[in-house]
Amino acid sequence: MQIDFSNTYATLPEAFFTAQLPQKVEAPKLFCFNDNLAHTLGIPRASTDELAEYFSGNILFEGSFPLAMAYAGHQFGHFTMLGDGRAVLLGEALDLAGKRHDIQLKASGVTPYSRGGDGRGTLGAMLREYLISEAMHYLGIPTTRSLAVVETGEEVMREKPHKGAVLTRVASSHLRVGTFEYARQYGGQKNLKALLEYTITRLYPHLEKHPNKALAFLHAVMETQAALITEWMRVGFIHGVMNTDNMSISGETIDYGPCAFMNAYEPKTVFSSIDRTGRYRFEHQPVIGGWNLSVLAGALLPLIDSDEDKAVEKATAVLEEFMPLYEQKYDAMLCKKLGLKTVDKESKALANTLLGIMEQKKLDYTNTFASLGFADKERFVSLDDALKEWHVQWEHTVGDTASAKARMRSCNPLVIPRNHLVEEALVKAQEGNKEPFFALLDALKTPYEGYENAQLPRVPDGVDVGYKTFCGT
Ligand code: AMP
Ligand code: MG
């Protein structure tokens, strides 16, 4: 089988990668395959057995140059050397529109960057990434995609033995803030410059002729991050591990380890078992986005200006734009969730009053907005008495409620990957029953349609209480 691979990443200086073959697996069996995505990437049709061989890493595609990427990162605020400890980039493929995508095997075995890890992943964790990344895609949020999950036929040891699997991840690129940190720390200015040039050509080609490419690049990444985090806040997504190695330069959501969606509106929600201080809690995601950008800025300083003081001054000016830009985007998004046409003081106050009620009454984030937009007034206010008075104000502000509802449809999802449904699907899948997984995947493909049939009434009370997620298992 052939994919028209190119390997532009391998043209970077050698310090940025190690050639690395995926480790073979014992008995590859295809669990799921994303036919639509495969089609857009020009991946030929093949038998299930053939797909399992290729997307487990047992057989290499012609033209593939498998490599593990080197990168560093700040994990929970601390700098560490990392790299692909359980992934290999097979190569890059152009989609039907001519856009380049990395095709990467994740959980494909140990690499020089494994740091004592086994290089493998559990079927549950790989399916979790598949489900949630696809859900994000259909919600209209920039994200890496999932092409395939292949069971390895091998056991992976965690707290107990689990079925192993390999995920194929598709991304605009796997360049991270941590790749720049790595270049700054270990590569010398020549490598840092090579990385910047490569990244601009690949992801921000409109900046190629800019007189200060590094500064313009920082600005562009700042804008994509403000947009991305606004989108997370729109749907109640909590990434869970916003370390700088998990912040993609392309502005895509990446690394679906401990992520989860919030049910009851509680800005302090945190699910990740290792996030003891709530660093990556829902409400703190924009602050961390800004923090991560400052790390990127730090790495880029020598390229921004040869005079360090001037470089700091220029970078700081860009970083100072982040929070106002994010807030502007967030306010516009929130007002759109209410179907409001204008973003002014009155609209923002109305939105914040609703959020205040939702927080106090522990109302479901998704369902409250969904019923405002899709149900009639009686059904909306039946969620809680406190909404009655608010609804009167809302009607007064929007005027024509029908057109307000039309405006908010694309903004308020009906279907999100509910934690209890995700867990149920994964448990059943590991027991050999694939049906709940595919049923949920199917429902997640049309998140803005079918109010009556959506999963609205099916969120048990207190479902988030004690819910815990785990990193990259
Ligand atoms: P993550 O928390 O998934 O972003 O991973 C952080 C780092 O740990 C990355 O360098 C990963 O490649 C590495 N890593 C995660 N799980 C494993 C594993 N099972 N074996 C080896 N390296 C791993
Ligand atoms: Mg990661």
Side-chain angles (χ1 to χ4, degrees):
M1 190 156 53
Q2 199 174 346
I3 299 181
D4 216 353
F5 271 135
S6 49
N7 303 289
T8 64
Y9 187 85
T11 65
L12 278 169
E14 275 176 15
F16 285 103
F17 60 91
T18 304
Q20 175 69 54
L21 294 175
Q23 263 180 316
K24 293 202 172 169
V25 308
E26 219 165 275
K29 202 169 118 202
L30 192 69
F31 186 100
C32 56
F33 189 70
N34 195 332
D35 286 304
N36 288 340
L37 182 60
H39 173 73
T40 65
L41 292 169
I43 295 170
R45 285 179 178 274
S47 71
T48 303
D49 286 347
E50 245 184 317
L51 292 172
E53 292 288 348
Y54 281 89
F55 291 104
S56 61
N58 272 11
I59 303 183
L60 274 189
F61 290 96
E62 243 175 84
S64 165
F65 178 76
L67 60 86
M69 292 177 169
Y71 55 86
H74 275 78
Q75 300 193 300
F76 289 89
H78 303 284
F79 182 80
T80 323
M81 175 58 202
L82 298 162
D84 286 334
R86 58 161 174 175
V88 291
L89 175 67
L90 292 179
E92 303 142 20
L94 299 182
D95 66 17
L96 297 173
K99 189 175 171 254
R100 185 176 300 277
H101 300 270
D102 278 3
I103 301 192
Q104 188 201 59
L105 297 182
K106 181 168 170 178
S108 53
V110 288
T111 77
Y113 312 110
S114 295
R115 300 176 299 152
D118 63 1
R120 290 298 185 191
T122 64
L123 175 63
M126 298 305 111
L127 290 178
R128 195 162 197 281
E129 168 150 353
Y130 192 106
L131 259 185
I132 302 185
S133 64
E134 286 303 293
M136 292 292 267
H137 169 74
Y138 287 103
L139 283 163
I141 300 176
T143 177
T144 61
R145 302 279 314 267
S146 296
L147 181 66
V149 172
V150 179
E151 293 183 67
T152 57
E154 294 170 11
E155 267 184 359
V156 178
M157 200 54 200
R158 295 294 179 256
E159 69 294 351
K160 57 176 190 176
H162 289 266
K163 286 183 178 170
V166 175
L167 170 86
T168 305
R169 176 158 74 180
V170 177
S172 289
S173 95
H174 284 86
L175 296 163
R176 314 137 190 273
V177 168
T179 320
F180 284 85
E181 292 178 76
Y182 169 78
R184 174 72 196 273
Q185 197 75 20
Y186 304 110
Q189 191 148 332
K190 210 167 135 226
N191 282 0
L192 183 62
K193 192 154 188 296
L195 178 65
L196 179 69
E197 295 290 342
Y198 174 77
T199 308
I200 286 181
T201 306
R202 177 141 181 205
L203 295 173
Y204 296 94
H206 62 287
L207 303 179
E208 251 163 4
K209 300 237 150 36
H210 199 283
N212 190 334
K213 284 194 243 187
L215 193 64
F217 168 68
L218 177 64
H219 198 275
V221 177
M222 185 274 291
E223 286 178 326
T224 62
Q225 284 304 314
L228 179 65
I229 296 172
T230 304
E231 285 290 85
W232 292 355
M233 305 307 276
R234 172 170 73 82
V235 299
F237 176 78
I238 303 164
H239 183 284
V241 62
M242 289 175 73
N243 295 335
T244 53
D245 51 301
N246 293 336
M247 179 166 153
S248 167
I249 293 295
S250 70
E252 287 172 343
T253 313
I254 190 170
D255 232 315
Y256 291 87
C259 67
F261 282 70
M262 176 174 65
N263 290 314
Y265 179 67
E266 168 49 78
K268 297 198 168 18
T269 303
V270 49
F271 293 118
S272 169
S273 57
I274 59 167
D275 190 1
R276 298 219 166 78
T277 61
R279 179 178 169 93
Y280 300 136
R281 65 190 181 272
F282 181 67
E283 66 179 1
H284 210 223
Q285 298 188 113
V287 174
I288 292 295
W291 193 90
N292 289 351
L293 285 164
S294 70
V295 171
L296 177 64
L300 291 169
L301 282 180
L303 303 182
I304 291 175
D305 201 302
S306 52
D307 176 324
E308 200 182 327
D309 290 341
K310 281 192 190 143
V312 169
E313 201 179 303
K314 288 174 186 170
T316 305
V318 173
L319 295 174
E320 281 174 352
E321 281 184 54
F322 175 71
M323 222 14 116
L325 178 68
Y326 166 75
E327 277 167 10
Q328 186 194 334
K329 285 181 186 295
Y330 176 83
D331 289 342
M333 174 276 287
L334 200 56
C335 289
K336 197 167 171 215
K337 276 178 92 66
L338 299 182
L340 302 171
K341 261 198 213 147
T342 47
V343 187
D344 54 19
K345 226 173 136 190
E346 194 192 352
S347 314
K348 285 195 264 179
L350 187 68
N352 285 322
T353 306
L354 177 62
L355 289 179
I357 297 170
M358 286 165 63
E359 184 178 350
Q360 198 196 354
K361 302 285 183 172
K362 301 193 182 342
L363 298 182
D364 186 87
Y365 188 62
T366 302
N367 293 358
T368 306
F369 285 108
S371 62
L372 178 67
F374 287 85
D376 56 20
K377 178 176 178 174
E378 281 64 42
R379 187 141 171 200
F380 175 72
V381 300
S382 76
L383 292 173
D384 197 284
D385 271 356
L387 293 171
K388 268 191 192 141
E389 198 189 314
W390 182 85
H391 197 274
V392 173
Q393 282 175 31
W394 177 73
E395 281 177 320
H396 176 75
T397 311
V398 295
D400 176 8
T401 54
S403 50
K405 285 182 174 188
R407 274 196 293 278
M408 57 209 274
R409 294 233 151 150
S410 60
C411 205
N412 295 327
L414 301 169
V415 188
I416 56 163
R418 294 285 185 184
N419 302 327
H420 65 296
L421 298 180
V422 171
E423 294 306 325
E424 184 194 318
L426 300 185
V427 167
K428 293 271 161 61
Q430 289 166 94
E431 291 166 1
N433 175 8
K434 294 179 170 188
E435 208 182 302
F437 175 87
F438 285 110
L440 181 56
L441 182 62
D442 212 38
L444 293 168
K445 287 182 178 169
T446 51
Y448 302 103
E449 288 169 30
Y451 181 70
E452 289 309 326
N453 296 324
Q455 53 189 286
L456 296 181
R458 292 170 48 203
V459 187
D461 270 356
V463 74
D464 280 349
V465 178
Y467 182 63
K468 283 271 172 277
T469 57
F470 301 90
C471 256
T473 44

